[in-house]
Amino acid sequence: MKKFNLIIITVLLSSLSLLGYKQEIKKFNEEADVFLKKYVSDGKVDYKRLKNNFEDVDKLYKSLETVNIKALSKDETKALYINAYNIIVIRQITEYFPLKSAIDKNGFFDKVKHNVGGEMLTLDQIEKGKVIIPFQDPRVHFAFSCAAASCPELADFAFTADQLDEQLDERTTNSINNPDFIKVNTDKNLVEISKIFKWYERDFKMKADDALSYINQYRKNKIPENYAIDYYEYDWALNIQ
């Protein structure tokens, strides 16, 4: 009987711990959502105002340290790392602001490490090692924002497990139908596309034969297959309001 009671207690404690972790991630998502709605508009961040309210982003950034990744579901993990990436980018830019571009700061993406769930990771490690490689979903490329003008537009909301599929579809559709992101020249039968499709060609080929085929999956006005493709120069200027 004592052994049985011990098992029951263990199960209950485990359930309570899991509930606690779920509440923790829910709180982070809610706070991140409020933060992004406050400081992001049309994909651009109000870094000047945020610089004077640094604690708003720093609090979110520090809360990432205690997230129990192992207790999260697949979609919760995916959403968490996307949110973490975007919050970390904003926090770093704000810390170093005034800054013209993220790449002006040495090691911004590949050297500076951040505590996410007790693991020290660079932004590149979060993007590739925690999201792109494990989940093999090219839509995430339109959810990450690298603080540059040529990046996919930063969402003014936090990604959540229960809405993740719809949110990723929305972000992908938003970027691919943006004339500044996909530049169609009907006079020249030419489409100029982001270098993201070149840098991550392998990812997009998991879901389509080539970049144009992938793009047309989300285009409202399909691009003719005979159009030539070129890649425009990536603009690393800061996505500042």
Side-chain angles (χ1 to χ4, degrees):
M1 180 61 73
K2 287 183 179 180
K3 185 176 181 181
F4 178 76
N5 288 338
L6 183 61
I7 292 172
I8 294 296
I9 291 170
T10 302
V11 170
L12 286 172
L13 288 175
S14 179
S15 298
L16 287 172
S17 295
L18 184 59
L19 181 61
Y21 296 140
K22 297 294 183 183
Q23 290 299 320
E24 180 185 5
I25 197 65
K26 182 181 178 183
K27 182 183 177 184
F28 172 81
N29 287 338
E30 288 173 349
E31 291 178 349
D33 195 72
V34 170
F35 169 82
L36 291 166
K37 282 178 169 56
K38 181 177 180 180
Y39 289 104
V40 178
S41 179
D42 296 325
K44 294 179 171 56
V45 183
D46 192 349
Y47 291 112
K48 293 177 182 178
R49 182 159 64 111
L50 192 50
K51 184 71 174 182
N52 294 323
N53 298 279
F54 184 67
E55 66 279 1
D56 285 359
V57 69
D58 197 46
K59 179 184 175 183
L60 272 175
Y61 173 81
K62 289 176 178 175
S63 69
L64 288 168
E65 298 178 10
T66 57
V67 174
N68 189 326
I69 306 292
K70 293 179 180 178
L72 304 181
S73 68
K74 182 179 177 180
D75 281 347
E76 284 172 336
T77 301
K78 190 175 178 181
L80 182 277
Y81 279 123
I82 293 171
N83 290 330
Y85 183 98
N86 290 334
I87 292 297
I88 290 169
V89 167
I90 295 173
R91 195 263 186 190
Q92 277 205 117
I93 292 292
T94 306
E95 181 183 5
Y96 302 137
F97 192 81
L99 196 68
K100 291 183 179 180
S101 167
I103 59 175
D104 287 345
K105 189 67 180 179
N106 183 46
F108 189 97
F109 294 103
D110 62 352
K111 290 187 176 65
V112 181
K113 293 191 174 184
H114 312 274
N115 191 332
V116 182
E119 188 175 9
M120 299 305 294
L121 301 164
T122 66
L123 285 165
D124 279 354
Q125 287 172 328
I126 294 172
E127 180 188 24
K128 298 180 180 71
K130 298 299 183 179
V131 181
I132 294 174
I133 294 173
F135 295 104
Q136 298 187 4
D137 181 353
R139 294 177 302 170
V140 300
H141 290 294
F142 307 102
F144 290 119
S145 182
C146 60
S150 283
C151 282
E153 190 177 274
L154 174 64
D156 62 353
F157 57 81
F159 292 87
T160 58
D162 59 337
Q163 300 180 72
L164 188 58
D165 200 50
E166 293 85 354
Q167 288 175 324
L168 290 175
D169 271 343
E170 186 272 334
R171 286 290 90 191
T172 306
T173 301
N174 180 73
S175 289
I176 286 177
N177 288 278
N178 183 342
D180 293 324
F181 191 78
I182 303 293
K183 305 175 182 182
V184 181
N185 189 325
T186 54
D187 293 334
K188 296 183 178 180
N189 287 358
L190 172 70
V191 56
E192 294 179 278
I193 64 177
S194 171
K195 285 187 176 178
I196 287 174
F197 291 100
K198 185 177 183 179
W199 297 331
Y200 299 101
E201 181 181 14
R202 182 182 298 178
D203 298 342
F204 294 106
K205 281 191 171 181
M206 290 189 298
K207 301 295 182 180
D209 292 335
D210 51 38
L212 188 56
S213 297
Y214 186 87
I215 289 167
N216 274 335
Q217 290 178 21
Y218 296 90
R219 286 281 298 185
K220 294 173 183 176
N221 297 315
K222 308 298 182 187
I223 301 166
E225 293 181 4
N226 66 329
Y227 271 37
I229 291 179
D230 197 6
Y231 300 93
Y232 56 81
E233 199 59 39
Y234 209 81
D235 183 359
W236 284 98
L238 202 61
N239 63 334
I240 186 171
Q241 286 183 23

